[in-house]
Amino acid sequence: MPDCFALRGNVCFASEKRELMTFPRTYVICEDGLCRGVCPELPREYAGIPIEDYGDCLIIPGMVDLHIHAPQFTYRSMGMDCELMEWLRRYAFPEEARYKDLDYAARAYGLFAGKMSSSATTRAVIFGTVHRDATILLMDLMESTGLISFVGKVNMDRNAPDELREESADASAFDTFGFINEANRRGYLRTKPILTPRFIPSCSDALLNELSEVRRAYDLPVQSHLSENPDEVRMVMRLMPDAAFYGDGYDRFGLFGREARTVMAHCIYSTDAEIERIRQNSVWVAHCPNSNMNLASGIAPVRRYLREGIRVGLGSDVAGGQTESMFRAVTDAIQVSKLYWRYVDEKAKPLTFPESFALATRSGGSFFGRVGSFEDGFEFDAVVLDDSVLPVSRPLTLAERLERAFYLGLDQHGIRAKYVRGLAVDRDFGSHHSSSSL
Amino acid sequence: MPDCFALRGNVCFASEKRELMTFPRTYVICEDGLCRGVCPELPREYAGIPIEDYGDCLIIPGMVDLHIHAPQFTYRSMGMDCELMEWLRRYAFPEEARYKDLDYAARAYGLFAGKMSSSATTRAVIFGTVHRDATILLMDLMESTGLISFVGKVNMDRNAPDELREESADASAFDTFGFINEANRRGYLRTKPILTPRFIPSCSDALLNELSEVRRAYDLPVQSHLSENPDEVRMVMRLMPDAAFYGDGYDRFGLFGREARTVMAHCIYSTDAEIERIRQNSVWVAHCPNSNMNLASGIAPVRRYLREGIRVGLGSDVAGGQTESMFRAVTDAIQVSKLYWRYVDEKAKPLTFPESFALATRSGGSFFGRVGSFEDGFEFDAVVLDDSVLPVSRPLTLAERLERAFYLGLDQHGIRAKYVRGLAVDRDFGSHHSSSSL
């Protein structure tokens, strides 16, 4: 008898066409971690299975965060007046250097994992630091949260402060092998390694070449940054003059889609040729609107990406992004698309709420397989939202309630339960793990 | 013996130059509703006064919301995919029409007043509806919250749906006299009427002329909308072809600064001549960045306004703005200023956190007098923030803690106490007032 149960509540998810599907007071069935669809009454074959009735709550697929820096969580929402280089120098690099110390890493990553577990996120693609052991520790913690994630040990062998720059391409690759071997040895059920060259400015050709071999040896996925900032793009073209465009710099080393499952964060200043390569190579774009505002990077042409059939998900990009909240990412994506329409391209219709909701669920979820919907056969990730604390003066539709829950950030205090691949997540993980002084 | 007490905590406020002043573990003294400055130790003349010690909490001036629509609170964060005209037709107008029914108004305004009392806002400039009695009811409720506010009965005699359009300029003026007389009769301590022509598209010249007489008769302040949207600006120039620019349309009727204390929301598309008139007439600009994103209006040139010495405050503009949170307004103002720098004018340096914090406190506060600082002689409005729920992995400066509190929206769940003109506000107002079904 397979492990089977049903939730009952007001079920909402996005269709493949990015339309909002709403089902009042409906069952959604989970069998062995997979969704068996929604139905107003339980079919006979499921008679007698355990039912968790969430009353008038909203039940939605879990949020998928395609881009987040775990070691930057501790200083999220700070230093936002700095420009990018000053921000890296004053905040990002000094903080990342602290993770050499495993005691610090345990404390800080414990806070991060705690917040991940209490958030609406069920899947995440995560940057660690260059430190092998601290990144393994991060994987241990993420595994304990019950979330499903890819976690990467960062590679950088140039253009980084001494305490974070790896000694050589060879040393970086050696540590990466060690990281992957250790991760595999631990036999995580939910946590997988991902290759993580930070970005081309901090990775020499020799290092990218080494990583290309690591990738092939282990068939690993890849995450990195792409075309976030005009200065960065110019720097890449200086550093790699033979590359046709920034993304070609990854592609020349087999680190840009095709057989390598790849997600690239930002893609704001991608040229036509780069966009075409992203499409051809089936690279996922992690759109990070909050970070792109905070760092004054700009606004990615998401409408164009969708029109061209490119795979787009959303990323919180903590701590360029101020918060891990994916509800915030959903509404930020809509808001910046409206400014993009107003100031950059009046033909680029702003994103709607159902579209942005789709990006954060099934569209980003596709990086993990069949994830982000309650259609039959999807992995069963669910978040239960209790919006009864929000006042109403007249009856609301489910679509209105869902939109309001996102715009008012109900993920901060209104989550009642969370399921990942059919398992209920202990959302109090953080309080068990963080030390009393925190 | 005057009514005197002190708070103790980590005191932060903005200087006149919009720099952040931070005072760890300091007293801030209140005497008869006025601030008597901050001091590390109590001076002898205040020995023995009651002290409220808030430990490691942050103590900041209350937030000043220069533009909010009370009747739109009930549908905030909904219908955000609509364009402006559809949004007005589907949400704003039908909802505002409901306030003819005083039972509905009591319920809905009770929710609004409850949220105002629990928020970080201590002062607000508020739109009601065209309905005289419902707007008086709103004033009754606002008076009970302990906040200090200006509340306006809206005027509109054209370009509005039948159920909201007033019969004639004369009828609108008559009702406005009635509204003001009733408000004055009730002898509120904290709640004052303000003239509120909705905007020129919905006010005939005859109506503006009537309002100009009402204004002079009662020496009332004025609130309205200005240059929010290119279509709106074009419509105004068609409706009032003799006006030199949109704002001149108000100025011709004495409803645009000078002797009339005036706040105009938005000012995104103000021409050079309009900006000069705003400055000359000492009109306050209510910058509403969240609304301006949601309605795809654009981004106001706030850096220019500050450089030219124009008075700028912030507005939540519920429900074009999705939330009454002024913390959100502060960080939104920074974020949109970064996109403005990137896409509109690279000479317009983005706003910093201290600058935006200053806009939400002393700059907007100046509409109410000496409000928004803890300098000697300012009215004593204070918000006490408990950020101990936010995790830290290393010691933070007060400036970092304050910035983080704003970016993470600590006003939603981290307010410990609020004082307005020296009186502690009952932040549970809402729970006493809203009916059990809500």
Side-chain angles (χ1 to χ4, degrees), chain B residues 20-92:
Chain B
L20 188 61
M21 315 294 288
T22 60
F23 303 88
R25 298 292 294 137
T26 295
Y27 296 95
V28 54
I29 299 165
C30 178
E31 188 172 342
D32 281 337
L34 296 183
C35 185
R36 288 296 165 222
V38 296
C39 44
E41 300 297 336
L42 273 192
R44 282 183 181 188
E45 66 263 37
Y46 293 108
I49 63 170
I51 292 168
E52 194 75 55
D53 192 331
Y54 286 110
D56 197 35
C57 287
L58 301 167
I59 303 177
I60 61 174
M63 298 287 112
V64 178
D65 188 343
L66 284 189
H67 186 64
I68 183 165
H69 292 261
Q72 298 181 3
F73 176 75
T74 46
Y75 65 92
R76 76 197 189 291
S77 286
M78 290 179 224
M80 290 299 186
D81 293 338
C82 299
E83 303 202 16
L84 178 60
M85 294 317 294
E86 186 194 357
W87 182 81
L88 287 171
R89 190 173 49 76
R90 279 189 47 194
Y91 285 89

Side-chain angles (χ1 to χ4, degrees), chain A residues 271-338:
Chain A
T271 60
D272 290 350
E274 184 165 279
I275 292 171
E276 179 53 20
R277 189 76 62 84
I278 287 171
R279 196 191 60 74
Q280 280 173 350
N281 288 16
S282 300
V283 168
W284 275 260
V285 171
H287 175 44
C288 307
N290 188 267
S291 167
N292 298 342
M293 282 194 282
N294 285 329
L295 297 174
S297 307
I299 307 171
V302 173
R303 173 62 64 198
R304 174 175 178 180
Y305 293 159
L306 296 181
R307 206 171 43 223
E308 301 196 7
I310 286 171
R311 297 160 169 192
V312 182
L314 298 182
S316 67
D317 193 22
V318 164
Q322 72 214 34
T323 170
E324 73 297 329
S325 164
M326 290 298 296
F327 281 24
R328 180 69 187 250
V330 166
T331 57
D332 281 340
I334 298 165
Q335 289 173 333
V336 301
S337 78
K338 289 172 174 176

Side-chain angles (χ1 to χ4, degrees), chain B residues 44-345:
Chain B
R44 282 183 181 188
E45 66 263 37
Y46 293 108
I49 63 170
I51 292 168
E52 194 75 55
D53 192 331
Y54 286 110
D56 197 35
C57 287
L58 301 167
I59 303 177
I60 61 174
M63 298 287 112
V64 178
D65 188 343
L66 284 189
H67 186 64
I68 183 165
H69 292 261
Q72 298 181 3
F73 176 75
T74 46
Y75 65 92
R76 76 197 189 291
S77 286
M78 290 179 224
M80 290 299 186
D81 293 338
C82 299
E83 303 202 16
L84 178 60
M85 294 317 294
E86 186 194 357
W87 182 81
L88 287 171
R89 190 173 49 76
R90 279 189 47 194
Y91 285 89
F93 289 149
E95 182 69 13
E96 290 193 19
R98 289 195 175 95
Y99 289 78
K100 188 178 177 180
D101 171 359
L102 282 180
D103 289 337
Y104 185 82
R107 205 159 74 230
Y109 280 152
L111 297 173
F112 171 76
K115 191 69 196 186
M116 283 290 100
S117 80
S118 68
S119 75
T121 299
T122 53
R123 311 254 173 169
V125 186
I126 303 173
F127 269 62
T129 61
V130 293
H131 309 98
R132 187 191 63 190
D133 293 346
T135 309
I136 290 292
L137 192 155
L138 171 60
M139 293 183 87
D140 288 349
L141 287 163
M142 286 307 300
E143 179 76 6
S144 318
T145 62
L147 271 65
I148 291 174
S149 61
F150 290 104
V151 176
K153 184 207 101 57
V154 170
N155 300 97
M156 45 182 175
D157 70 340
R158 66 177 176 188
N159 291 319
D162 288 349
E163 65 273 26
L164 284 173
R165 194 177 54 242
E166 296 175 294
E167 266 178 40
S168 64
D170 196 57
S172 178
F174 187 83
D175 257 9
T176 305
F177 273 110
F179 163 70
I180 298 162
N181 289 336
E182 181 61 24
N184 288 342
R185 200 185 61 74
R186 299 205 173 198
Y188 301 120
L189 296 173
R190 295 175 281 274
T191 316
K192 300 292 170 198
I194 182 169
L195 270 189
T196 308
R198 187 175 198 125
F199 63 159
I200 286 181
S202 63
C203 298
S204 67
D205 284 17
L207 174 54
L208 293 172
N209 195 46
E210 296 269 11
L211 294 181
S212 123
E213 284 181 32
V214 179
R215 206 210 67 71
R216 274 196 308 274
Y218 292 91
D219 192 22
L220 287 184
V222 177
Q223 65 177 342
S224 194
H225 300 92
L226 183 66
S227 298
E228 178 176 4
N229 184 291
D231 290 341
E232 172 211 14
V233 174
R234 278 189 288 271
M235 185 179 184
V236 168
M237 298 321 291
R238 271 199 309 277
L239 286 167
M240 218 186 241
D242 294 343
F245 45 83
Y246 188 164
D248 185 48
Y250 296 114
D251 202 18
R252 291 146 61 102
F253 298 99
L255 300 168
F256 199 69
R258 291 188 289 192
E259 66 274 26
R261 177 167 291 239
T262 299
V263 57
M264 288 283 157
H266 309 307
C267 304
I268 299 171
Y269 296 99
S270 296
T271 59
D272 290 350
E274 184 165 279
I275 292 171
E276 179 55 19
R277 188 77 60 83
I278 287 170
R279 196 191 61 73
Q280 281 174 348
N281 288 16
S282 300
V283 167
W284 275 261
V285 171
H287 175 43
C288 307
N290 188 268
S291 167
N292 298 343
M293 284 194 280
N294 286 329
L295 297 175
S297 307
I299 306 172
V302 174
R303 174 61 67 198
R304 174 176 179 181
Y305 293 157
L306 296 180
R307 205 170 45 223
E308 301 196 6
I310 286 170
R311 297 160 168 190
V312 182
L314 299 182
S316 67
D317 193 21
V318 165
Q322 72 214 34
T323 169
E324 72 299 328
S325 163
M326 289 300 296
F327 281 24
R328 178 70 187 250
V330 166
T331 58
D332 281 340
I334 299 166
Q335 290 173 333
V336 301
S337 78
K338 289 171 174 174
L339 294 177
Y340 189 85
W341 168 81
R342 173 65 72 189
Y343 288 114
V344 185
D345 179 6

Side-chain angles (χ1 to χ4, degrees), chain A residues 74 77 79-81 91 104 293-294 296-297 299 322 335 338 342-343 353 392-393 400 403 407 413 438, chain B residues 74 77 79-81 91 104 294 296-297 299 322 335 338 342-343 353 392-393 400 403 407 413 438:
Chain A
T74 46
S77 287
M80 291 299 184
D81 293 338
Y91 285 89
Y104 185 82
M293 282 194 282
N294 285 329
S297 307
I299 307 171
Q322 72 214 34
Q335 289 173 333
K338 289 172 174 176
R342 174 64 75 189
Y343 288 115
F353 175 76
V392 288
S393 63
E400 286 173 332
E403 184 180 13
Y407 275 96
H413 296 274
L438 304 178
Chain B
T74 46
S77 286
M80 290 299 186
D81 293 338
Y91 285 89
Y104 185 82
N294 286 329
S297 307
I299 306 172
Q322 72 214 34
Q335 290 173 333
K338 289 171 174 174
R342 173 65 72 189
Y343 288 114
F353 175 75
V392 289
S393 62
E400 286 173 331
E403 185 181 11
Y407 274 96
H413 295 274
L438 306 176

Side-chain angles (χ1 to χ4, degrees), chain A residues 41 65 73 88 134 143 295 302 315 334-335 404 407:
Chain A
E41 299 299 335
D65 188 344
F73 176 75
L88 287 170
E143 179 77 5
L295 297 174
V302 173
I334 298 165
Q335 289 173 333
R404 184 173 71 156
Y407 275 96

